[in-house]
Amino acid sequence: MFLPYAERMLKLNDSALSMFRDKPVTIGASSNIGIYLLSPYVKAYLDASNGKRQLDVQIYQNPTVADKLAAGDVDVAAMEWWDGRPGYVARLWKHEELVVIVPPTHPWATLSSLPRDMLKGVPLLGGEPGSGTGRILASYFGVDAPELKAGMQLGSTDAVKRWVKAGLGISLVLAGSVIEEIQAGMLVSIPLEDGGPKKSLYIIWRDSLAEDHPAHRFGSWLASRADEAGARQSTI
């Protein structure tokens, strides 16, 4: 009497588990991370899984990533800051240096490092809003922070790079966001002389996820690659 019912329940359970396994893990990445830093790690993870894992990457501004994580629209977040709200696991992924970028024709282009005082009063082109860079610079410059001058707010790192290349200003950006331009000789990056400010990048997921949940597995894997120069393949 109960056997057909039990068999149907087992089939439903198998179907649910199959959907759970087959559903891609959705990663919400801030623009700078998603565009400039994340792709080699995603490639390494997918290659190492031999087609057994699926990932979907969605790129937004940092505040939007946080909102989508809270709403359950993304499973794992890669962000340039985290506010410590309860209910989540936040793991440090990278410390990314902020460097000054100038065009090759700029008077500073031959400097091996830049004293921080030289930035006082110089308009700095602004990129993506909500990235946390302003707070980092305020902390780094301390009492001298009011002497920093904000230039045009261009909305993205890509726009900032284009305007700097055109000779329309200078800026501070993540070192990893200008690698191609530096190699091509289109921009010059200059570290600040005392090592400069560094931005902490985080990988975040909900703390309610079981350890064998695909999102937990990917988040833990990615966070374990903290501060590596590049992704390497690993058994998943």
Side-chain angles (χ1 to χ4, degrees):
M1 176 179 178
F2 295 104
L3 183 58
Y5 175 77
E7 289 176 342
R8 286 197 300 271
M9 292 301 295
L10 286 172
K11 287 180 180 178
L12 285 172
N13 182 65
D14 289 343
S15 177
L17 288 174
S18 177
M19 290 177 62
F20 174 78
R21 287 192 298 266
D22 295 341
K23 181 181 180 294
V25 173
T26 302
I27 307 161
S30 74
S31 298
N32 286 327
I33 294 175
I35 294 171
Y36 302 112
L37 303 175
L38 188 60
S39 58
Y41 295 90
V42 169
K43 177 70 162 57
Y45 186 82
L46 294 175
D47 286 350
S49 74
N50 295 316
K52 297 177 182 178
R53 299 284 183 262
Q54 299 181 62
L55 300 176
D56 176 34
V57 179
Q58 301 177 6
I59 297 176
Y60 307 99
Q61 293 182 357
N62 283 272
T64 302
V65 173
D67 290 343
K68 287 189 171 290
L69 181 65
D73 295 330
V74 302
D75 302 308
V76 179
M79 295 180 58
E80 296 173 63
W81 50 261
W82 183 244
D83 55 14
R85 68 187 70 177
Y88 299 89
V89 175
R91 297 273 298 277
L92 178 67
W93 182 41
K94 285 176 170 288
H95 291 294
E96 189 74 10
E97 184 179 3
L98 289 167
V99 295
V100 178
I101 55 170
V102 300
T105 55
H106 194 278
W108 295 353
T110 57
L111 297 178
S112 58
S113 63
L114 189 72
R116 71 168 74 188
D117 287 349
M118 291 183 69
L119 290 177
K120 293 179 180 179
V122 178
L124 297 174
L125 297 176
E128 178 185 329
S131 69
T133 299
R135 291 192 297 272
I136 291 173
L137 293 180
S139 175
Y140 175 74
F141 282 93
V143 295
D144 294 327
E147 297 189 51
L148 295 178
K149 186 175 180 181
M152 290 178 283
Q153 302 303 299
L154 303 177
S156 72
T157 299
D158 185 61
V160 166
K161 293 190 294 183
R162 290 175 182 271
W163 282 58
V164 172
K165 282 187 283 187
L168 293 170
I170 68 169
S171 189
L172 276 154
V173 300
L174 296 180
S177 70
V178 289
I179 292 174
E180 292 183 1
E181 289 82 3
I182 302 306
Q183 292 175 342
M186 294 185 291
L187 288 173
V188 175
S189 68
I190 312 169
L192 292 174
E193 64 178 1
D194 56 358
K198 291 181 173 59
K199 180 176 285 190
S200 298
L201 310 181
Y202 295 93
I203 307 301
I204 309 115
W205 61 90
R206 288 178 293 281
D207 63 8
S208 59
L209 296 181
E211 289 188 4
D212 62 348
H213 190 286
H216 190 294
R217 288 170 61 91
F218 174 74
S220 298
W221 180 88
L222 185 57
S224 72
R225 270 69 191 161
D227 275 334
E228 286 187 356
R232 64 171 181 265
Q233 291 194 4
S234 173
T235 301
I236 298 173

